[in-house]
Every structure is written in C-alpha cells, then in structure tokens.
Amino acid sequence: MSSVLAEQDGVVTRITLNRPERRNALSLDTLGELDKALASVPSDARVVVLGGAGPAFSAGHDLAEMIDRPTEFYEELFSRCVEVMQRIHKMPQPVIARVHGVATAAGCQLVAACDLAIASEDARFGTPGVKIGLFCSTPIVPISRAVGPKRSMEMLLTGRQIDAHTAASWGLVNKVVPADQLDHEIDTWVDEIVEFSGPVIGLGKEAFHRQVGLDEPRAYEMAKEVMVVNAEMADAQEGMGAFLEKRTPKWQGQEQS
C-alpha cells in the first residue's frame, strides 16, 4: 500500500499521508513518495490540500528506522525532508495543510511549510525532539518564520505541545474549527482561491517566499520588479479593466461560472 495518496478533484489536488498505524510518520520512503506526489501535481491544478489519514496529521520522522544507521542514511533522510519543504514553497499552487490530531516534529515543520493551514479543535502541535536527544533543528526554519523567535524557542526548548487555538493565535495555523467542519472550511477557502487568476497567484507566491529572506531594501527592489511583470500580464490588464467597468473578470484559461 502506498504511504502517500494523491487524488485529483477538479482543480484541486488532494494529497494524503497514508500511514495511519504509524501516525503518518515521515519515513525516508514516505518522504520520497510525498516529494513525488507534489512534483506530479498537474499544471492545471489550482490548489493542493495536504492531510493525513487516521488519527493524526503526522508525528514526524519515523524513529524506528533511525537507530544505528550510517551517516549516509541521516544525510539522505534530512536532505529529502528539506527537499519536500522547499518544493512546497517553489510550486505555484497554494498548499493548504488539513490538520487534525498531532502534528509534531517534522509533522509540525510540514504544517509550517504549507502556505495556509486549517486545523480541527483536536489538533496539537509540538517540537519534542529535545526530549529524545534529537533537537528539532530543521523544523526551526519554517516554524520560527511562522511564530517568531521567542515562541519557537519555547516549543523547541520545552518540547511542550500547544493546542490548536494557541497555534492560531501564534500564527502557525490560519483558522481552527470543530472536527466535523474541517473539510467544509477548507472547501470554503479553496472555492475562494480558485476564483482568482492562477498565474497571478503563482507569481505572488514565488515573490512572497523570495522576499522573506531579504533585507527591506532588497525585498522592495525584488517586489517592485515582480509588480512590473505582473502589471503587464494579460490577467492583470483584464482584472483592472473589469474593476473599472464593474464586471466580473475573465481569467485566461479559466472557465467562468
């Protein structure tokens, strides 16, 4: 059985971690399958929803395969993990994490790496590596960018879990809903996003992730160049014209309802 499932639902690609008996632990093979699924998202997909089967989103790396392994294994494992996180940023489609149950260690990293995250009220988040002598160093990267240094250090140094509402107040997730409303809430966000121009969203997402690592002057310089490119795009011209003419825009390559 595949440890990652991918399903095309109209313009939405739904990717599901499928190791429920292991709390969707991110083994080397699972990370490889996840990377392949993300790379295989069709170009006409508009949004990716990433979730987990069973009682959890993901409990992080599979510790059972990490005992007494050679250096090369650890290098491959963590390199593959980084590749998955960076692929999420590089792909043009927004990626929404559908979070329920635990999202810990590399599972929490995966939530933070997604562009948006909607969580059920039962969700719990944490970076407990310090408790087992394996500090959550790679999760630091997206988590610290999401919640800031003091809160990320609190999670990293204590290993304590935070609940879904705390995660929302800290900026790790966008919204928290009752478990039975999770899919409806995600569909609401998806329906709103797909109303807009896919190429424009892809350009904007790329610009967002590029500017994060720049100082303010360089970020503005880069963003200015992106806006020039964006303004010349057919969808931008159509959108501005439609606004002035008080009509619904007709994006290129997108069926109108």
Side-chain angles (χ1 to χ4, degrees):
M1 180 184 298
S2 175
S3 63
V4 176
L5 305 176
E7 175 188 10
Q8 198 63 31
D9 180 11
V11 295
V12 181
T13 300
R14 301 184 187 276
I15 297 176
T16 304
L17 301 173
N18 190 38
R19 299 184 72 202
E21 75 287 352
R22 297 288 299 165
R23 297 295 192 272
N24 296 316
L26 299 173
S27 67
L28 178 59
D29 287 344
T30 299
L31 286 167
E33 289 191 39
L34 178 55
D35 192 46
K36 183 178 179 179
L38 291 167
S40 300
V41 171
S43 59
D44 59 351
R46 299 292 312 286
V47 180
V48 176
V49 177
L50 176 59
F57 177 77
S58 174
H61 288 297
D62 192 342
L63 301 182
E65 70 172 11
M66 294 178 64
I67 302 297
D68 293 329
R69 302 303 293 266
T71 301
E72 292 77 16
F73 174 84
Y74 300 123
E75 289 176 342
E76 184 179 6
L77 175 66
F78 297 124
S79 293
R80 181 66 56 83
C81 184
V82 168
E83 288 167 3
V84 166
M85 306 302 163
Q86 291 183 325
R87 186 177 297 282
I88 290 172
H89 284 183
K90 291 176 181 177
M91 60 196 304
Q93 297 88 352
V95 181
I96 303 175
R98 177 195 182 278
V99 192
H100 73 292
V102 297
T104 52
C108 188
Q109 177 184 2
L110 189 56
V111 173
C114 289
D115 302 298
L116 300 168
I118 312 298
S120 63
E121 289 178 331
D122 70 340
R124 296 293 183 271
F125 305 83
T127 51
V130 68
K131 294 182 177 182
I132 61 169
L134 185 65
F135 202 83
C136 288
S137 296
T138 49
I140 288 173
V141 178
I143 293 172
S144 65
R145 284 160 172 75
V147 308
K150 289 293 190 294
R151 286 168 172 166
S152 57
M153 285 300 283
E154 177 180 337
M155 295 175 68
L156 292 159
L157 294 175
T158 68
R160 292 195 298 258
Q161 291 187 7
I162 60 173
D163 62 29
H165 290 288
T166 300
S169 70
W170 286 9
L172 184 59
V173 302
N174 296 89
K175 191 168 183 178
V176 178
V177 296
D180 61 358
Q181 297 179 25
L182 182 57
D183 288 323
H184 173 75
E185 184 65 29
I186 289 175
D187 288 345
T188 298
W189 286 62
V190 168
D191 289 345
E192 186 171 356
I193 291 170
V194 300
E195 286 295 312
F196 308 129
S197 164
V200 169
I201 284 179
L203 181 71
K205 174 179 171 175
E206 179 187 12
F208 176 86
H209 290 298
R210 285 174 59 196
Q211 65 82 31
V212 167
L214 302 176
D215 58 35
E216 186 176 89
R218 289 189 296 161
Y220 268 124
E221 184 63 27
M222 183 277 296
K224 177 193 70 177
E225 294 172 359
V226 171
M227 291 212 71
V228 171
V229 172
N230 193 167
E232 294 178 332
M233 292 172 63
D235 276 350
Q237 293 296 310
E238 165 63 13
M240 291 185 286
F243 177 81
L244 294 172
E245 297 166 14
K246 296 181 172 58
R247 61 175 174 82
T248 301
K250 297 179 180 179
W251 310 123
Q252 288 197 337
Q254 182 177 348
E255 295 182 3
Q256 300 298 305
S257 56

